[in-house]
Amino acid sequence: MSRIAITGIGIITPLGDTLTLNRQALQEGRSGLSSLEIFPTKYASLLPFGEIKITDKELKTRLDVTEPGVTRTTLLALHAFKQAVENCGLSASEIQLSETAFINGTTVGGMCLSDALYQDANFRETGSEYLNSYDLSSVTLYIQQRYGITGICNTFNTACSSSANAIMYGARLIQNGFVKRAIVGGADSLAKFTINGFNSLGILSSAPCRPFDNARSGLNLGEGAAFLVLEKEDNVIDKPVYAYVSGWANSNDAFHPSSLSDDGEGPYLAMQQALQVARISPKEISFINTHGTATENNDEKESIAMQRVFGNVPAFASTKSNIGHTLGAAGAVEAVFCLLNLIHDEVYASLNFDTPIEATGLVPVTEYKHMRVEHVMSNSFGFGGNCSSLIFSKGQKAQ
Amino acid sequence: MFYIHQSSCISHQPTFTGVDLQNLQPSVNNQLPAIEPKYINIPLGQLRRMGRALRMGVGTGITLLEKHKADGILIATSNGGIEDSITFLNQIVDYNEGRLTPTHFVQSTFNAIAGLLGMITHNTGYNATHVHRGLAFENVALDVTMLLRENPGHIYLIGGVDEISVRNYRMEAMAGWYKKEPISNTELYASETEGALPGEGAAMFLVSNNAESATAKLADLKLLHTADENLVANQFAEFVRDREIDLLLSGESGDSRFKRYYTRCEQAVSENTAIARYKHFTGEFQTASALALWFSCWLLQNQTLPEHCIKRSGSKTAFNRIALYNNYQGVQHSFMLVESV
């Protein structure tokens, strides 16, 4: 069976608006967490966030967005989408073919505009420019219309695993012969809705998050977007293949709306089944980009599930310590970080780690290092018990 | 594509128990609210916290999952628990981002329906929530088609759910999606103004690739993004070509802006083909096509077209193959082909 090749990458995170800037910051172990300078909330100086320091106005100028009603989530998505298709060298007509799919994952969509939505939903007599932009698919449909995409388009919201499922769906559409290529990923921006939602659950940390540390005290929210171009390997002739999407699985923890079960059954099943799809054994995984949100619940249950799957857990880290939790974008952003691991044979430090979790004793990678990276697993787990694991495998340079 | 074995539906008509499609329920203040059942199979402690979308989705879903275990759950919802979302948002603003209780936040997440169905029925299989507005349910159908190819012999719960929310209705009305003048659903299709009547509901199905004991088959499916009427007409003509279509089930919504798309698609089928409509009893909403699929299954089983649905009687003596065309806001189009087994 023809493999699913990754031939285009686009990314924007608090670490930078290009792949190169993101790699540099990861290599240097630099954190993108800070007080808020752009997004207005009561918590701006009280909590650390992964904020992209580019205003909506600047993004609109750069991206030549002049239409009304375009939200920040859409702007971040457009930035990453544009970079991915340019990086791949896809032509406008290729993007418009019915054999090209576009799959997006987001949890906030246009709800980043909480105050405008508040006014429109409750008080205004005539609506603002954003009336049709508050939902999730507004992000997907803006890009679909701007690029004239006619093929299969879809939007996922499986909470924090949304864009992992978008990647999986795109890979499966290609494998099942519905399309030849798929542009897949996700975007989310900071929103009062999520900041206050996670705060009401008591899982936001007032300090930079400490994934897998015994003294971890919760997560930091971030924003970002990433898209990948996936193509059937047989159709890729004259361009480099960054890596392959070789394994994927989605399962449900079926335990609690907002926390994982004691034995991490959902994460266990997702990792186990992704290995089966990739047809590799656990010991062939070189590195795991964990979900690692740094909440009390997630890191311990994810550790337990990793121990159940791997016995001896391979090298792992959480890039949530670098940029926070970008929610619907996390699966795609972290997929890009996995591609950097594979392309450069290097892994990046998980920040702010000191003491392992008592029950599991697992220690993440705490220093940048060179190592042979063949297969990387990326975990994304979310509310509603939604658990997804992806496996990326080493690519090849153009002939 | 796949076979449909069991289904469950909540809509503006009695469809959950004691199905009655013959007697049309009148619209209420330009809306088509769903008739909600008592939800005896949802644990009471959970039911109290649930918003409408969650209740309708979990209520219809559990009804089927009690009959048969599934290997996964795929839900389409464009807005999830939007009323709870905006309630939470209002608390954020009204209490100036103070200490809030998480109930409305957790209950309103879009994937709460699929998540709760998984949790209540201990289903650890594939679990996905598609939210792509007017093509959310069609993506569910495509997703499950792939799952059944990848896992032959599996059985999945699929469905579509959306609710009318007071505050979201306000915004959609301001955006021009609903009729401004008072109108009854009995005169919807004669209307020459812009806008539709909002509706809500849930339709769930147990599906597999096994024809045995199936009630219907989804034989083909196409999703299309375009505003180009010619492209839609050509693609639909292609879709029905060389196929004996007994009934065209049209998603006509009474919105004058989109009538031309439906007219063009009607021209693609033979004059013998009957034409029927349903948005006057489901109302217009993003996942209404899930209810249209439920209606198709009902028609194939009952072989009677309720009088109020008929646009053209045609000359067929039986319905064995139904083509569906739906258009959401002029830019999202879907074709489905449903056949008797």
Side-chain angles (χ1 to χ4, degrees):
Chain A
M1 194 183 288
S2 185
R3 294 188 290 178
I4 311 295
I6 300 169
T7 56
I9 304 174
I11 188 166
I12 181 166
T13 75
L15 300 179
D17 58 1
T18 63
L19 187 62
T20 309
L21 287 174
N22 274 274
R23 182 183 172 215
Q24 265 173 22
L26 290 168
Q27 281 180 312
E28 293 164 14
R30 214 176 334 121
S31 164
L33 299 171
S34 68
S35 295
L36 292 175
E37 291 165 21
I38 298 171
F39 186 76
T41 162
K42 197 178 117 182
Y43 299 99
S45 59
L46 301 175
L47 302 172
F49 291 95
E51 182 181 53
I52 294 167
K53 306 295 182 196
I54 309 172
T55 63
D56 293 2
K57 191 166 172 244
E58 168 69 14
L59 284 167
K60 283 184 185 178
T61 309
R62 283 195 202 178
L63 296 163
D64 194 25
V65 169
T66 51
E67 307 89 337
V70 180
T71 68
R72 183 169 179 84
T73 310
T74 300
L75 293 169
L76 297 179
L78 177 61
H79 174 95
F81 180 95
K82 182 168 179 277
Q83 219 176 54
V85 296
E86 285 172 4
N87 177 247
C88 173
L90 277 186
S91 69
S93 58
E94 279 174 312
I95 296 170
Q96 289 168 3
L97 291 172
S98 63
E99 61 200 32
T100 302
F102 171 41
I103 316 298
N104 179 32
T106 181
T107 70
V108 167
M111 288 234 287
C112 54
L113 292 164
S114 323
D115 295 310
L117 174 55
Y118 177 77
Q119 291 298 331
D120 275 334
N122 298 294
F123 306 111
R124 282 207 185 100
E125 288 302 319
T126 52
S128 74
E129 62 180 292
Y130 298 109
L131 282 181
N132 292 315
S133 311
Y134 295 122
D135 72 349
L136 302 169
S137 52
S138 63
V139 178
T140 321
L141 289 167
Y142 174 79
I143 294 174
Q144 177 264 320
Q145 280 165 24
R146 181 166 166 137
Y147 281 86
I149 299 167
T150 62
I152 294 165
C153 291
N154 193 15
T155 315
F156 271 93
N157 182 353
T158 50
C160 307
S161 63
S162 300
S163 55
N165 281 319
I167 294 170
M168 191 182 317
Y169 193 66
R172 291 168 58 229
L173 284 172
I174 296 172
Q175 205 184 45
N176 280 278
F178 284 105
V179 296
K180 280 190 177 162
R181 71 182 69 78
I183 304 158
V184 297
D188 256 331
S189 56
L190 289 166
K192 280 187 184 173
F193 193 77
T194 43
I195 293 170
N196 287 276
F198 281 87
N199 194 45
S200 73
L201 287 161
I203 53 175
L204 289 185
S205 171
S206 55
C209 68
R210 309 178 64 175
F212 297 98
D213 191 282
N214 205 39
R216 68 198 178 281
S217 58
L219 59 83
N220 311 126
L221 287 171
E223 60 184 353
F227 282 95
L228 305 174
V229 180
L230 308 184
E231 300 187 72
K232 203 172 167 183
E233 184 182 26
D234 296 351
N235 300 330
V236 181
I237 299 159
D238 52 357
K239 49 189 159 190
V241 171
Y242 293 112
Y244 297 96
V245 191
S246 52
W248 51 78
N250 162 318
S251 71
N252 196 278
D253 196 44
F255 173 69
H256 186 272
S258 60
S259 58
L260 291 172
S261 60
D262 286 343
D263 58 352
E265 185 66 8
Y268 169 80
L269 290 171
M271 288 188 267
Q272 187 78 299
Q273 289 165 9
L275 288 165
Q276 283 166 13
V277 171
R279 293 168 196 270
I280 59 172
S281 68
K283 63 177 186 297
E284 289 177 83
I285 293 290
S286 323
F287 180 75
I288 305 173
N289 181 309
T290 61
H291 186 54
T293 54
T295 62
E296 184 75 22
N297 174 259
N298 178 83
D299 291 13
E300 182 172 326
K301 308 311 174 200
E302 186 173 12
S303 296
I304 290 168
M306 287 195 291
Q307 287 177 327
R308 285 178 66 196
V309 176
F310 293 95
N312 283 325
V313 177
F316 71 96
S318 168
T319 43
K320 304 264 185 340
S321 62
N322 305 84
I323 60 169
H325 191 351
T326 58
L327 304 180
V333 164
E334 292 171 26
V336 172
F337 295 163
C338 292
L339 301 187
L340 288 172
N341 297 142
L342 287 161
I343 296 166
H344 302 289
D345 279 320
E346 62 188 15
V347 296
Y348 313 110
S350 208
L351 310 180
N352 313 320
F353 175 84
D354 183 47
T355 312
I357 295 170
E358 216 167 310
T360 50
L362 294 182
V363 177
V365 172
T366 53
E367 280 179 348
Y368 168 84
K369 67 175 173 188
H370 253 290
M371 58 179 260
R372 180 79 183 161
V373 183
E374 283 294 328
H375 304 281
V376 183
M377 177 180 275
S378 179
N379 287 338
S380 299
F381 312 138
F383 280 8
N386 280 122
C387 298
S388 291
S389 292
L390 302 172
I391 296 172
F392 302 97
S393 303
K394 206 163 208 64
Q396 59 199 26
K397 298 271 188 294
Q399 296 298 310
Chain B
M1 307 290 297
F2 54 80
Y3 291 96
I4 297 167
H5 295 268
Q6 305 260 6
S7 62
S8 176
C9 181
I10 290 174
S11 72
H12 178 67
Q13 288 288 131
T15 48
F16 189 69
T17 49
V19 177
D20 177 11
L21 293 176
Q22 301 299 338
N23 302 300
L24 180 66
Q25 300 290 318
S27 48
V28 184
N29 300 328
N30 270 30
Q31 298 191 3
L32 295 159
I35 302 172
E36 285 194 274
K38 286 205 171 76
Y39 301 113
I40 46 171
N41 45 13
I42 303 178
L44 203 62
Q46 293 182 7
L47 183 62
R48 275 197 213 102
R49 289 197 295 268
M50 290 179 172
R52 288 171 81 75
L54 212 46
R55 289 198 299 264
M56 293 190 289
V58 173
T60 47
I62 282 198
T63 302
L64 299 183
L65 291 173
E66 279 176 351
K67 291 179 187 162
H68 204 292
K69 196 173 167 348
D71 295 288
I73 297 166
L74 293 83
I75 300 298
T77 180
S78 185
N79 284 328
I82 180 101
E83 189 68 21
D84 270 347
S85 295
I86 299 178
T87 300
F88 189 69
L89 173 84
N90 284 355
Q91 290 171 356
I92 293 171
V93 181
D94 293 339
Y95 298 103
N96 187 28
E97 301 191 77
R99 244 321 181 202
L100 302 172
T101 57
T103 308
H104 292 296
F105 177 65
V106 175
Q107 298 284 314
S108 74
T109 56
F110 290 68
N111 61 332
I113 301 163
L116 273 177
L117 280 170
M119 196 181 92
I120 295 170
T121 63
H122 309 290
N123 191 312
T124 55
Y126 186 87
N127 191 290
T129 302
H130 297 257
V131 297
H132 195 56
R133 219 177 262 181
L135 291 174
F137 180 68
E138 287 76 354
N139 268 296
V140 160
L142 187 56
D143 195 356
V144 84
T145 298
M146 295 194 285
L147 284 173
L148 290 168
R149 283 190 196 175
E150 293 153 0
N151 307 284
H154 277 194
I155 182 157
Y156 292 94
L157 178 80
I158 67 165
V161 191
D162 270 301
E163 67 181 14
I164 300 175
S165 127
V166 175
R167 303 179 189 107
N168 197 50
Y169 169 76
R170 204 174 174 277
M171 293 191 287
E172 291 183 332
M174 284 195 290
W177 298 117
Y178 301 130
K179 297 276 182 216
K180 291 187 172 67
E181 68 283 6
I183 181 175
S184 154
N185 56 341
T186 53
E187 53 198 21
L188 180 65
Y189 303 117
S191 166
E192 286 175 0
T193 59
E194 294 183 354
L197 294 179
E200 63 180 358
M204 297 276 165
F205 309 88
L206 281 173
V207 306
S208 79
N209 57 6
N210 182 2
E212 203 179 318
S213 81
T215 55
K217 176 189 183 184
L218 184 78
D220 202 358
L221 166 73
K222 182 158 178 69
L223 291 64
L224 189 61
H225 286 84
T226 183
D228 181 350
E229 175 189 329
N230 290 320
L231 183 64
V232 174
N234 292 340
Q235 295 273 342
F236 188 72
E238 186 69 25
F239 188 79
V240 297
R241 198 170 60 180
D242 300 329
R243 282 169 164 166
E244 182 80 27
I245 306 294
D246 302 315
L247 171 69
L248 168 61
L249 193 54
S250 157
E252 212 179 313
S253 67
D255 190 317
S256 60
R257 290 170 290 189
F258 312 127
K259 215 166 195 168
R260 58 200 169 99
Y261 294 91
Y262 291 102
T263 310
R264 292 288 300 276
C265 288
E266 285 170 12
Q267 288 162 0
V269 295
S270 127
E271 282 179 13
N272 302 324
T273 303
I275 301 173
R277 299 175 287 208
Y278 58 91
K279 293 259 170 83
H280 62 291
F281 72 81
T282 65
E284 178 66 310
F285 59 102
Q286 298 89 338
T287 46
S289 50
L291 273 65
L293 180 60
W294 180 88
F295 186 38
S296 303
C297 295
W298 185 89
L299 286 170
L300 292 176
Q301 278 193 298
N302 291 277
Q303 294 289 324
T304 40
L305 203 49
E307 197 64 35
H308 57 86
C309 298
I310 301 171
K311 182 171 189 182
R312 184 174 80 195
S313 295
S315 59
K316 305 285 182 157
T317 49
F319 303 123
N320 289 309
R321 190 176 284 117
I322 303 177
L324 288 84
Y325 166 55
N326 191 48
N327 171 325
Y328 191 71
Q329 297 185 344
V331 290
Q332 292 184 302
H333 312 266
S334 72
F335 315 144
M336 289 195 269
L337 189 71
V338 188
E339 296 176 350
S340 54
V341 179

